[in-house]
Amino acid sequence: MLQDLSDITLNTAQTEVMAEWTRAQMVEAPTAFDAARAIARQLGAQPEAGVTRFAFWTPELLDARVPEGDIFLELLDPMEPVALTRARQRVRFRRIYVPMTRVEDVCVAAIDGVRAGSREQLGHFYAMAWRDRDGGWHRILDPMASSLPFGPMAPAEVYDLHEMQANRADRPYWEGLAGPQPHKFGPVPNILQIHVPTATAGGTLASLAREFDRLSERLRRDLPLEPADELFLGYDAVQLLPVEPTTVYEMGPEFWTESNQGPEEVTVDLLHPDTTNWGYDVVIAGMAAVNPALLETGRPDELVDLAASLHNFSTGPIRLILDVVFGHSDNQGLRALNPHFFAGPNMYGQNLDYRNPRVRAILLEMQRRKVDFGADGVRVDGAQDFTFWDPSIEKLCHDDEYLQLMSDVEQHVAGTLYRPWFIFEDGRPWPQEDWELASDYRAVVEAQRDDDVFQWGPLTFAHNTPFLYGFWLSKFWRIKEMLGVGSHWISGTANHDTLRRGTQVNPKLNINTRLGETQMEILEKAYDNPAVSMLTYVAFPGVPMDFLNATARANWGFIRNQDDRYGVKVVAEEAISLKWQVDEYAYSRPTFFRRLKEMGYATREELARFLEFLPALVEVTDYDLDEIARLLNAVEPPLAGPETFSPRVLKAIARAWMDDMHDYCNVSQALSQLDAGHVGFMRALRDFRHRHPWLRDNYAPVDHFDYVQPIRGRTIFTALRNRPEALGGGQAFCITHMEGGETEEFDPLTLRVPGLEGMGWELALRTPNIGQDYTGGPVTLRDSMGLVFTRGL
């Protein structure tokens, strides 16, 4: 039944209260930033007790000198059911304009009768609207939206966050953390990094939550586990790649397209958002909401449900870490935000104006609202990108004060106040050319007040290629650094950046062929290596992190299908990954690369030939699509694929590549190939770290780490860790063969390692490639083998 629009009325008294409060903040707050932070808490649409309060920051209206009488809140009410799970639909909306009150650069209105969305019902859609002197209408979208069923470029949905919080299934978890002071989360023993769209066959937050619910139930009932189960188990935290709304298709289709417009009714063509992205191409608008492409039901409650599935896990709570991206905006952000948000272009798109008090406050408020979905930790992407120009010294400076403000934000979930654990990715002086040598990866840790702030360490940050001969000894100086200061680093070599970079390495370089017989095997084992993981989980301090696509030996790449302008260039850069991740058999499978096959690339060989030409032509033509198409059409013998190349066709090929690779990277495609012994060993490593949290600490003077000398064509690391006497004493000794030829037979416990002498050592862990019959004594080690012995633990 349609709602009577006469129920929607301006609450004049409450609107005036909002306006007076806003004026008071602007006048009485100690600083402009204090006023901005208070006002930011009121921005967006906030339904409560039958009244919905709307507030927008609109400096562009002052720029355009728009009179207050031409400023309205636009409400849209569907005249027929909207199915958020339907791919395409056409819906008529009734429209009502309600006048707003302007207080300087803030517009407010309190409105009765607005329907708020929930898990069970759709709320009213809304935006601001203003009328120019010629009678034309313009729309301002809400960057503080709580629900964006049709993406950040469409009107938002009024959503009842109070009801969502009241009904969350993990309330007991949060209530158990309540105390007289805000609870402070600290580090965990280990982390699993997950890209939601490729983590399950469903590719949604709901399907990921069901996966953890299923595993929790199997463990509770002590049912048998398969390798596909163990892949997700043994972790103390799950870190999601960003779940914020990302860019939309540059050239369409739009997810919300209006026609038959009238003052009281509008027809809208609605498309279910289906973009595929690795998560980092954000527009900043809508950061407090959830990317609708990740929602099976279209309801943001799915993120709360995942948090509850993790917190209620049958073997103990698993923490949720959200990856937030506030260091830049894609250029599409210019469509969704007013120009005062931006400080000029950069390599990603746009710098944000962190020195503007309003922008500074709004970004922090977006972060607060997002983490209130129920995250225990926050990972900040690209912290080195939070910069500002200081004219007094004519220098670009890092905004460490803002990073401190990020980690100071207090969250409020289920009645509990808390502060999350914070992890920063910061490689300053990146992008300076010598950044890999110059970065100490400690800038944020040393600048922050709290001693439990972490950073990504040097083996985690970016260009790690452990399948190149000499990698481990070339990084030995970094490893030695890690031993002394790595307790506050995230460790491990596999993540969304490093695995992608690995697929871009020239196969003609000095590849460690002992890792596998094919390039696919080499890449998979390099980033899911038993010896490397043994080193990470036993020898190194800090907090280990694994990437699900790497541990599943699934594929991975730069996934973004919205890019029309640079899509062909991106595919040219990614083309080399075909050599690393796709063999003839994989390409021939009917479920893979359907779109490219339909475009005429029936075999991998045909696609590979096209991808040999494309990168070279992108470079020599300086990315001139017309010239690239002309040269491709002149190739003899003709290339497979479309009959004639043109810029439009090249863009279609690029889109097909991105969509096909997205499907190819889904972890579900790799589960049947998992090796039970290997997966079980990796879980045993995680359990070992969980039982021995003291391994997170930096090395003490009595600890030891080195490589066996003489090298003789091998890199073999030895590590001896001593548990502090205050914790009961005991030792762990680890030896790992990282690369090179096999050793002669020897007894690892007879090596000249200070502190190794004496009896009482027991074998605790062995890599599966050693064999279950080995329990100690002489052994021959080959590439990727490792052993852990313990004494007194």
Side-chain angles (χ1 to χ4, degrees):
M1 180 180 295
L2 285 175
Q3 179 176 338
D4 186 351
L5 290 186
S6 63
D7 294 341
I8 300 177
T9 57
L10 179 68
N11 188 316
T12 306
Q14 287 295 319
T15 299
E16 185 55 31
V17 169
M18 293 179 69
E20 284 302 318
W21 179 89
T22 304
R23 290 189 190 98
Q25 298 304 313
M26 292 178 176
V27 172
E28 299 171 7
T31 67
F33 180 55
D34 291 323
R37 291 204 77 172
I39 292 169
R41 294 290 290 263
Q42 309 305 313
L43 295 179
Q46 303 194 34
E48 188 174 7
V51 179
T52 301
R53 295 170 177 83
F54 295 89
F56 287 74
W57 177 50
T58 57
E60 66 267 48
L61 297 183
L62 297 181
D63 296 340
R65 299 182 179 274
V66 179
E68 184 175 357
D70 288 320
I71 300 170
F72 302 87
L73 184 83
E74 177 188 13
L75 287 166
L76 296 157
D77 184 37
M79 300 174 67
E80 50 248 357
V82 176
L84 297 179
T85 57
R86 187 180 300 169
R88 179 186 295 269
Q89 57 196 308
R90 174 169 290 183
V91 177
R92 290 177 302 141
F93 285 81
R94 293 183 299 173
R95 174 156 51 196
I96 183 172
Y97 292 110
V98 181
M100 299 191 78
T101 298
R102 182 168 65 196
V103 182
E104 301 298 338
D105 57 357
V106 177
C107 294
V108 300
I111 302 177
D112 295 322
V114 175
R115 184 177 66 253
S118 67
R119 190 187 294 268
E120 288 78 27
Q121 73 174 10
L122 192 71
H124 280 123
F125 289 86
Y126 71 97
M128 271 193 66
W130 61 276
R131 185 171 48 202
D132 62 31
R133 58 180 66 242
D134 296 323
W137 285 92
H138 308 270
R139 182 178 279 163
I140 297 174
L141 301 174
D142 182 10
M144 305 297 290
S146 300
S147 177
L148 291 166
F150 299 100
M153 305 301 174
E157 177 194 8
V158 178
Y159 208 78
D160 191 342
L161 296 179
H162 295 292
E163 179 177 344
M164 184 176 71
Q165 291 285 6
N167 295 327
R168 60 184 307 137
D170 58 353
R171 289 189 66 86
Y173 167 80
W174 292 105
E175 291 168 352
L177 301 175
Q181 299 296 324
H183 178 79
K184 182 68 178 80
F185 283 103
V188 295
N190 55 61
I191 302 170
L192 175 64
Q193 186 189 39
I194 291 179
H195 177 244
V196 173
T198 60
T200 63
T204 63
L205 287 162
S207 61
L208 185 59
R210 286 194 298 271
E211 178 66 13
F212 278 102
D213 288 340
R214 184 185 69 83
L215 294 173
S216 178
E217 180 65 11
R218 292 188 70 81
L219 288 168
R220 188 185 68 79
R221 296 168 60 183
D222 197 25
L223 296 173
L225 298 174
E226 297 180 302
D229 299 330
E230 293 201 89
L231 201 64
F232 290 86
L233 300 177
Y235 291 100
D236 300 280
V238 164
Q239 176 182 307
L240 303 181
L241 271 70
V243 295
E244 288 77 37
T246 60
T247 54
V248 298
Y249 297 117
E250 282 188 348
M251 301 303 292
E254 299 283 355
F255 302 133
W256 175 291
T257 305
E258 298 180 1
S259 60
N260 300 324
Q261 296 224 32
E264 297 180 354
E265 186 178 317
V266 60
T267 300
V268 184
D269 287 309
L270 300 173
L271 300 180
H272 178 72
D274 61 348
T275 51
T276 57
N277 198 282
W278 62 341
Y280 295 96
D281 298 307
V282 300
V283 295
I284 296 300
M287 294 292 278
V290 182
N291 184 352
L294 306 182
L295 298 175
E296 184 176 295
T297 62
R299 305 287 77 194
D301 302 68
E302 288 184 32
L303 183 54
V304 170
D305 293 344
L306 176 60
S309 296
L310 295 171
H311 293 151
N312 296 336
F313 205 75
S314 59
T315 56
I318 300 171
R319 292 195 206 167
L320 174 64
I321 301 171
L322 292 182
D323 192 341
V324 298
V325 189
F326 287 104
H328 63 272
S329 168
D330 186 272
N331 283 324
Q332 287 191 23
L334 297 169
R335 289 180 56 192
L337 299 169
N338 72 65
H340 294 261
F341 273 94
F342 303 106
N346 63 22
M347 66 179 64
Y348 304 115
Q350 296 293 320
N351 290 303
L352 298 170
D353 187 1
Y354 301 102
R355 308 311 280 178
N356 184 318
R358 289 274 202 267
V359 174
R360 200 173 183 83
I362 287 171
L363 295 179
L364 290 169
E365 177 63 12
M366 287 177 172
Q367 171 195 314
R368 187 191 70 82
R369 295 187 191 186
K370 187 52 161 286
V371 180
D372 265 0
F373 273 88
D376 312 80
V378 176
R379 184 260 184 185
V380 179
D381 179 70
Q384 73 277 342
D385 297 324
F386 293 75
T387 58
F388 65 93
W389 179 257
D390 188 336
S392 64
I393 58 175
E394 296 186 345
K395 184 179 178 181
L396 198 65
C397 299
H398 292 280
D399 199 340
D400 288 317
E401 180 185 352
Y402 181 81
L403 300 183
Q404 181 68 61
L405 290 169
M406 292 185 82
S407 59
D408 285 344
V409 171
E410 288 188 357
Q411 306 299 144
H412 189 267
V413 175
T416 296
L417 280 173
Y418 72 98
R419 288 177 57 204
W421 176 39
F422 260 78
I423 303 167
F424 292 88
E425 179 199 37
D426 191 300
R428 68 184 74 171
W430 187 91
Q432 186 176 305
E433 288 186 4
D434 66 345
W435 71 270
E436 287 191 86
L437 290 174
S439 179
D440 62 10
Y441 300 94
R442 293 185 52 75
V444 183
V445 168
E446 293 174 349
Q448 294 261 321
R449 286 190 294 270
D450 292 337
D451 63 0
D452 59 355
V453 171
F454 273 58
Q455 284 187 226
W456 274 27
L459 293 186
T460 303
F461 189 77
H463 301 282
N464 291 309
T465 51
F467 52 88
L468 294 179
Y469 274 122
F471 171 82
W472 289 104
L473 285 182
S474 73
K475 294 291 185 181
F476 189 70
W477 68 284
R478 281 295 192 192
I479 292 173
K480 294 290 283 187
E481 193 175 32
M482 181 186 297
L483 308 180
V485 300
S487 64
H488 284 62
W489 279 346
I490 303 300
S491 63
T493 61
N495 60 66
H496 70 279
D497 263 333
T498 56
L499 183 53
R500 178 205 167 200
R501 295 297 185 188
T503 68
Q504 296 179 325
V505 171
N506 188 335
K508 294 182 180 179
L509 294 179
N510 195 16
I511 306 297
N512 180 2
T513 55
R514 291 186 173 91
L515 290 173
E517 295 183 1
T518 67
Q519 288 170 347
M520 288 180 66
E521 290 178 0
I522 290 170
L523 184 76
E524 291 169 354
K525 192 170 182 180
Y527 292 102
D528 181 40
N529 188 289
V532 175
S533 292
M534 183 175 281
L535 201 65
T536 301
Y537 277 86
V538 182
F540 290 162
V543 172
M545 183 181 73
D546 295 330
F547 179 37
L548 179 63
N549 289 65
T551 58
R553 300 200 173 182
N555 299 286
W556 180 247
F558 182 41
I559 300 170
R560 180 176 69 187
N561 70 356
Q562 305 101 304
D563 191 339
D564 180 80
R565 182 177 182 184
Y566 291 110
V568 177
K569 187 175 183 180
V570 171
V571 170
E573 293 170 352
E574 294 288 303
I576 196 170
S577 67
L578 188 73
K579 299 179 180 180
W580 285 109
Q581 296 195 106
V582 186
D583 60 17
E584 194 67 50
Y585 169 72
Y587 194 85
S588 69
R589 292 179 58 184
T591 55
F592 293 151
F593 301 100
R594 295 180 293 105
R595 301 167 186 86
L596 286 168
K597 289 172 183 174
E598 289 172 359
M599 298 191 76
Y601 299 105
T603 68
R604 179 193 180 280
E605 182 181 1
E606 291 173 337
L607 178 62
R609 184 166 178 252
F610 168 75
L611 291 178
E612 288 290 341
F613 280 93
L614 184 64
L617 296 181
V618 165
E619 183 175 355
V620 300
T621 66
D622 196 24
Y623 194 49
D624 183 329
L625 288 179
D626 287 301
E627 184 65 7
I628 292 170
R630 186 186 70 79
L631 293 171
L632 288 172
N633 288 325
V635 171
E636 289 294 340
L639 295 168
E643 191 171 308
T644 303
F645 293 101
S646 66
R648 182 186 61 79
V649 168
L650 289 174
K651 291 178 180 181
I653 294 172
R655 169 70 184 274
W657 164 275
M658 285 296 181
D659 288 335
D660 279 344
M661 283 301 293
H662 178 263
D663 294 345
Y664 186 60
C665 289
N666 196 285
V667 168
S668 66
Q669 308 282 7
L671 298 181
S672 62
Q673 303 301 313
L674 293 174
D675 178 81
H678 174 79
V679 173
F681 165 76
M682 292 300 204
R683 184 182 175 191
L685 278 176
R686 300 192 288 272
D687 291 342
F688 187 87
R689 186 72 167 215
H690 183 87
R691 294 194 305 272
H692 299 289
W694 57 274
L695 291 170
R696 202 210 91 196
D697 297 336
N698 294 329
Y699 273 45
V702 294
D703 294 329
H704 160 92
F705 188 96
D706 208 345
Y707 56 88
V708 174
Q709 301 179 55
I711 294 176
R712 294 176 179 167
R714 301 178 292 261
T715 300
I716 299 175
F717 289 143
T718 57
L720 181 65
R721 309 289 308 270
N722 291 269
R723 184 167 64 177
E725 290 297 328
L727 299 177
Q731 296 173 296
F733 174 65
C734 173
I735 181 168
T736 56
H737 189 310
M738 309 308 298
E739 61 183 5
E742 72 176 25
T743 68
E744 59 279 355
E745 191 174 71
F746 73 108
D747 187 342
L749 295 176
T750 63
L751 292 172
R752 294 182 179 179
V753 173
L756 189 63
E757 309 88 353
M759 307 296 290
W761 289 101
E762 297 180 350
L763 180 67
L765 293 164
R766 58 175 171 258
T767 53
N769 45 12
I770 288 179
Q772 295 184 3
D773 57 336
Y774 178 81
T775 58
V779 66
T780 298
L781 293 182
R782 293 185 295 277
D783 198 309
S784 307
M785 287 183 172
L787 295 163
V788 174
F789 298 88
T790 59
R791 180 165 61 183
L793 292 181

